[in-house]
Amino acid sequence: MGSGKGENDREFSEAAVRGGGQASSPPRGWNSYDSFLWTISEATFLHNAEIVSKKLLPYGYEYVVVDYLWYRRNITGAYENSYGYDVLDEWGRVVPDPGRWPSSVGGKGFKEVADKVHAMGLKFGIHVMRGMSLQAFNGNTPILDVIKGGAYKEDNRQWGAKDIGLIEKKCGWMDNGFMSVNIATGAGKAFLRSLYQQYADWGVDFGNCVAMKLTLKELDRPILYSLSPGKFATPAMAQDVSGMVNMYRITADDWDTWADVESHFDISRSGRAAREFMA
């Protein structure tokens, strides 16, 4: 699976997925990024899923994953770190670009895509960024309370994106895209809960995230959770996240260069010494 994303579901019981258990063998699947970057369309994704199902499923390759920016409109002016081209719902949550994912129209999100993937005998996954969109923050969108329904209210007022977005903690490599959320607040927890519920409603089986800190254990649907804590992962960081996820990356992206391979030696050495990466 490209970019280090994916899972072999045979290594995970439903209980392990819910409880944050780790795999005993490497993941197996296909990720859209290496071949199609962020501009992949629904038709192209499903065509590749069919190939995985027919040719690779017998060998344990079970996951097909849509990599990042599935919510960005593929029009002139949009690129990896552009601003203003993301598609959001009324609650400030990113949703698939209807121009590339036509089955998402009408608030259906990835539900129909996931259903088709499941019908092929495969699992469906998506890449998600941490926290909230800068567009949601600037628009001060309301926060969905999935427990009570409607907008989140506390202390006799309705909370919005600007109440929980940590503008000083923008994504380092996509500063026009996303920022961390203050999960010390009830509204921050409510926002992340609404994201997780959205993914469960869509039928997502696998979530690869650049960093989210709330667990998925409260959902009715088990979702395999992979974390990308960043290119400077440390044993201490691994210890912090290991109880909340099923898998996590300890390196940056690997390309066909010796520098990428060489960097693994120091990382593996420090992790082995601390016995955190290998736990």
Side-chain angles (χ1 to χ4, degrees):
M1 193 174 276
S3 300
K5 306 176 181 74
E7 292 301 326
N8 179 354
D9 193 51
R10 293 188 179 92
E11 297 295 337
F12 290 88
S13 66
E14 181 172 315
V17 173
R18 291 182 185 278
Q22 278 81 50
S24 60
S25 66
R28 296 176 187 174
W30 176 80
N31 178 282
S32 65
Y33 185 83
D34 286 352
S35 295
F36 300 99
L37 303 181
W38 65 271
T39 57
I40 190 169
S41 68
E42 179 173 331
T44 301
F45 178 79
L46 290 174
H47 175 67
N48 280 269
E50 289 178 0
I51 295 173
V52 173
S53 177
K54 293 176 181 178
K55 303 293 186 179
L56 298 177
L57 181 59
Y59 301 97
Y61 288 80
E62 299 181 280
Y63 282 82
V64 287
V65 179
V66 182
D67 211 302
Y68 80 142
L69 300 184
W70 38 265
Y71 37 82
R72 186 154 298 172
R73 297 184 187 278
N74 186 18
I75 58 177
T76 302
Y79 59 98
E80 287 83 352
N81 195 29
S82 59
Y83 174 79
Y85 297 90
D86 293 347
V87 184
L88 310 181
D89 68 8
E90 62 180 306
W91 306 108
R93 303 175 298 181
V94 292
V95 293
D97 165 27
R100 291 187 289 135
W101 304 90
S103 70
S104 70
V105 173
K108 290 179 289 188
F110 275 126
K111 184 66 172 66
E112 290 192 12
V113 171
D115 286 347
K116 290 178 180 179
V117 167
H118 293 155
M120 298 177 196
L122 300 171
K123 306 289 187 180
F124 176 66
I126 58 174
H127 177 281
V128 292
M129 295 292 292
R130 80 165 185 258
M132 110 180 355
S133 164
L134 181 59
Q135 286 179 217
F137 179 85
N138 289 339
N140 199 27
T141 53
I143 298 164
L144 175 62
D145 187 337
V146 296
I147 296 176
K148 297 181 179 179
Y152 182 85
K153 297 179 181 179
E154 187 180 353
D155 296 332
N156 297 316
R157 70 180 182 92
Q158 179 174 305
W159 289 57
K162 288 191 174 182
D163 293 314
I164 63 171
L166 299 176
I167 194 72
E168 70 278 11
K169 292 186 177 181
K170 290 183 181 180
C171 173
W173 53 276
M174 197 194 294
D175 59 347
N176 286 322
F178 292 82
M179 68 184 72
S180 295
V181 167
N182 184 2
I183 61 170
T185 64
K189 292 183 177 69
F191 178 75
L192 292 188
R193 189 179 294 112
S194 75
L195 292 181
Y196 298 150
Q197 188 61 61
Q198 180 187 55
Y199 306 148
D201 292 343
W202 288 348
V204 171
D205 303 293
F206 174 87
N208 178 267
C209 180
V210 176
M212 292 190 295
K213 201 171 181 180
L214 228 57
T215 69
L216 299 165
K217 296 176 183 177
E218 63 191 70
L219 295 179
D220 291 333
R221 179 182 182 82
I223 297 178
L224 200 67
Y225 183 27
S226 172
L227 183 69
S228 294
K231 63 186 298 183
F232 302 109
T234 64
M237 186 184 297
Q239 185 177 31
D240 288 341
V241 304
S242 62
M244 297 186 287
V245 298
N246 302 113
M247 60 177 288
Y248 51 89
R249 291 178 58 181
I250 60 173
T251 68
D253 288 346
D254 283 332
W255 300 99
D256 294 332
T257 68
W258 171 246
D260 282 353
V261 175
E262 186 180 27
S263 68
H264 289 199
F265 291 105
D266 287 338
I267 294 171
S268 298
R269 186 181 302 115
S270 63
R272 181 67 177 179
R275 299 189 65 82
E276 295 297 346
F277 290 159
M278 308 301 174

